[in-house]
Amino acid sequence: MAKRDLISIDDLSAADVDLLLDTAESFLPVLQRDIKKVPTLRGRTVINMFFESSTRTSTSFDLAAKRLSADTIGIKAKGSAVDKGESLKDTIITLSAYSPDIIVIRHPRAGACQLASANTTASIINAGDGKHQHPSQCLLDLFTLRQAFGRNLRGLKVAIVGDILHSRVARSDIAGFQLLGMDVTVIAPPTMMPREVDSLGVNVRYDLAELHKADVIYLLRIQQERITQGANFLPSLREYANVWGVTRSRLRPGQKVMHPGPINRGVEISAAVADDPDTLIAQQVEAGLAVRMAILYRTIVGSTDSDTKEAL
Amino acid sequence: MSRAATEAVVLTGDQLARTLTRIAHEILEKNASDTALAVVGIHTRGALLGRRLHGLLCQLSEREIPDGELDISFYRDDVAARGAPGVIPKTPQPVVKDTNLPFDVGGTTIILVDDVLYTGRTIRAAIDALFDYGRPDRIQLAVLVDRGHRELPIRPDYVGKNLPTALGERINVRLSEADGVDEVVLVRTAGEE
């Protein structure tokens, strides 16, 4: 089917990413004027299905659709038919009867989006599926980096620190950062490093010794909700904070700190760093809106590429 | 069908310059000297022409007139690129350019500038876009070439050249800033006469 989905960052070429980020940039002035709305997706329907909790992603996808004049519906697992035992496939088939143009999905299981895509004519946008992918987060991170460091990110050194194993953000970001030529290092305790990390083409470190070499430090939260009760990934949160927590003293002046949120103050990031206006965390949240507008826009509207892949 | 195309120059660089000067004079003649004018060009070549026209207007009227540029991508009426599954977008959508209106649109008389006036759909979109920035007193339309075939009730206030065309023909406006040369050509695809 020649509809356009955005399921994995791997489906995009560097040119696709550039087009999306350029489009996002062109939405910035729209968001600054009095009437923060354009009629582009008037009459289109966007369904936001969030089967996992979310603040930033669900709010910004909803607002992005509204800024483009689309009609939006939000569905959560709680209070929907999912509560009554309906499968994802059946939920998608049911919702498709209302002919939505785009379904945005967050789901605790990897691959939920592929399953959904196979059962609807609507475009599927992955807003996070299990430990698999979170492409819109990756795009907004790239957008934030472009705003901070300029269009050319080639050679920029990024260290991703924290619970790599359970992080879909890490999986999307590693691929997206590499796609634009950045130099990626992953830093984590051995228990939180995915086994197949060597196949990712990144530098792997099991301590913070070389943290100062990075231009950007990308922190990840420990994904408690994906850790099975009783599993021993770390002795205690306090020890994690002592050994792996990024504090002022562990940062070199000029290093930029990023975090996809939600942050756990005093664990992976100290309160002082979290409140430092020099971090890019607030910019990431802000970028989320323009970038998600661009994703929705390019899902419906054609790309300049004549031989566009089926993915965005 | 043969792909061979013939080009005929309809405006040389010289004529193009004189046409713009004439339009500038017409604008100043039509609008009282105390009118708050602003020039807004539509991307891409309308913006370039707008910049030139703005220079002429400032020079001739000896006052500072604000100017800006407009991208109408988000206001197009052919967004419906994806009908049924399997349909490839019929109009490739170019990268969106910056909209930059560094003045208050409310209360101004806007001279909207485009290179070629054809169906009128671009102008419709531009007018819609302008109103999202404020409520102008008036909008007047200046185009370098009016090639006819309007699909909407839109009429230009200032026309460089009226050029009745066949549907299969194309008008290419080339400007030195983008194309290295100033000229307007009529492109005729052989076998379509």
Side-chain angles (χ1 to χ4, degrees):
Chain A
M1 253 190 268
K3 63 176 176 168
R4 266 167 289 164
D5 294 335
L6 179 59
I7 293 177
S8 166
I9 205 77
D10 297 322
D11 299 334
L12 302 180
S13 67
D16 294 333
V17 170
D18 274 339
L19 179 68
L20 280 164
L21 299 185
D22 288 341
T23 307
E25 217 163 294
S26 61
F27 280 118
L28 289 180
V30 172
L31 297 173
Q32 277 150 16
R33 59 191 208 193
D34 281 347
I35 296 178
K36 297 177 182 56
K37 217 174 159 91
V38 287
T40 321
L41 298 189
R42 202 159 53 97
R44 310 277 158 160
T45 307
V46 177
I47 297 183
N48 289 306
M49 275 180 45
F50 278 76
F51 289 171
E52 243 185 17
S53 37
S54 162
T55 309
R56 276 154 282 266
T57 310
S58 67
T59 316
S60 59
F61 262 120
D62 192 48
L63 201 51
K66 289 186 161 101
R67 293 278 192 253
L68 291 167
S69 302
D71 297 316
T72 66
I73 305 166
I75 291 168
K76 295 200 159 93
K78 238 199 180 99
S80 73
V82 178
D83 255 358
K84 304 174 186 168
E86 189 175 62
S87 71
L88 176 65
K89 179 177 172 178
D90 290 315
T91 307
I92 292 289
I93 290 171
T94 305
L95 292 174
S96 298
Y98 306 128
S99 326
D101 298 277
I102 298 175
I103 303 178
V104 179
I105 300 181
R106 166 164 294 187
H107 199 277
R109 299 283 177 207
C113 293
Q114 279 90 343
L115 176 74
S117 184
N119 287 289
T120 180
T121 55
S123 286
I124 298 291
I125 294 173
N126 184 355
D129 60 335
K131 291 183 272 183
H132 178 223
Q133 281 277 326
H134 194 352
S136 67
Q137 177 70 45
C138 172
L139 289 166
L140 76 86
D141 288 338
L142 290 170
F143 186 82
T144 307
L145 286 168
R146 234 167 73 155
Q147 301 281 89
F149 294 92
R151 263 187 88 88
N152 184 5
L153 300 175
R154 199 155 282 283
L156 194 73
K157 291 189 173 61
V158 184
I160 305 179
V161 186
D163 184 1
I164 312 281
L165 178 63
H166 298 104
S167 172
R168 56 191 172 213
V169 174
R171 281 172 183 76
S172 284
D173 274 6
I174 289 170
F177 291 172
Q178 287 177 332
L179 187 64
L180 298 198
M182 290 160 60
D183 178 7
V184 184
T185 303
V186 291
I187 305 178
T191 51
M192 291 185 161
M193 194 68 89
R195 209 170 294 176
E196 65 296 346
V197 68
D198 291 328
S199 64
L200 294 174
V202 294
N203 314 308
V204 182
R205 299 283 311 192
Y206 296 98
D207 55 56
L208 296 181
E210 292 190 1
L211 194 67
H212 63 277
K213 286 190 179 168
D215 303 305
V216 177
I217 296 171
Y218 197 103
L219 296 175
L220 296 171
R221 170 179 74 88
I222 299 166
Q223 305 257 310
Q224 298 285 7
E225 71 273 30
R226 297 190 209 293
I227 296 178
T228 330
Q229 283 268 305
N232 274 324
F233 282 96
L234 36 105
S236 71
L237 276 185
R238 177 177 300 182
E239 182 178 318
Y240 183 88
N242 284 338
V243 179
W244 301 97
V246 168
T247 57
R248 272 250 171 85
S249 59
R250 282 178 173 160
L251 289 175
R252 167 174 64 76
Q255 277 183 313
K256 293 287 182 195
V257 174
M258 295 175 76
H259 196 305
I263 62 170
N264 287 153
R265 268 167 198 270
V267 185
E268 74 276 6
I269 185 169
S270 76
V273 174
D275 292 331
D276 190 338
D278 223 30
T279 70
L280 297 176
I281 300 172
Q283 283 90 315
Q284 286 174 276
V285 178
E286 218 183 301
L289 185 53
V291 167
R292 288 180 173 120
M293 284 172 83
I295 292 170
L296 294 171
Y297 176 73
R298 290 289 171 195
T299 302
I300 300 279
V301 179
S303 142
T304 38
D305 239 0
S306 51
D307 52 3
T308 308
K309 290 187 281 181
E310 285 196 12
L312 258 179
Chain B
M1 191 178 80
S2 158
R3 285 244 164 233
T6 54
E7 279 192 9
V9 176
V10 288
L11 277 182
T12 63
D14 244 16
Q15 289 168 322
L16 194 153
R18 262 181 284 140
T19 304
L20 280 180
T21 310
R22 196 228 324 138
I23 292 178
H25 279 290
E26 283 177 15
I27 291 170
L28 294 175
E29 191 181 301
K30 183 159 172 170
N31 293 286
S33 58
D34 59 346
T35 312
L37 284 180
V39 180
V40 174
I42 302 172
H43 275 296
T44 303
R45 285 177 182 70
L48 298 174
L49 286 172
R51 227 169 283 160
R52 291 190 194 185
L53 199 54
H54 171 256
L56 287 167
L57 287 169
C58 289
Q59 194 189 325
L60 292 171
S61 66
E62 292 175 346
R63 55 189 178 120
E64 235 354 274
I65 295 169
D67 73 328
E69 49 203 37
L70 197 62
D71 184 286
I72 53 105
S73 306
F74 301 139
Y75 292 83
R76 294 175 69 108
D77 59 7
D78 55 357
V79 170
R82 209 198 76 206
V87 175
I88 303 291
K90 77 168 188 233
T91 320
Q93 308 281 323
V95 171
V96 182
K97 311 265 192 342
D98 285 347
T99 289
N100 183 24
L101 300 170
F103 56 89
D104 190 358
V105 168
T108 53
T109 293
I110 288 183
I111 310 294
L112 191 60
V113 185
D114 205 0
D115 53 352
V116 179
L117 179 59
Y118 183 27
T119 60
R121 287 175 195 273
T122 302
I123 305 304
R124 194 282 309 162
I127 293 171
D128 273 358
L130 279 174
F131 273 82
D132 278 355
Y133 286 86
R135 182 177 182 274
D137 270 0
R138 252 170 244 105
I139 298 177
Q140 295 171 359
L141 177 60
V143 297
L144 188 59
V145 176
D146 181 354
R147 64 166 292 190
H149 304 290
R150 213 79 75 244
E151 291 167 5
L152 297 173
I154 279 170
R155 152 194 76 70
D157 297 274
Y158 314 99
V159 184
K161 191 172 179 63
N162 277 301
L163 210 60
T165 53
L167 277 172
E169 292 171 334
R170 260 198 352 258
I171 302 285
N172 283 346
V173 172
R174 299 191 181 119
L175 298 172
S176 52
E177 297 94 318
D179 316 292
V181 59
D182 273 354
E183 64 178 8
V184 179
V185 297
L186 176 71
V187 185
R188 223 175 247 125
T189 311
E192 263 186 60
E193 288 293 304

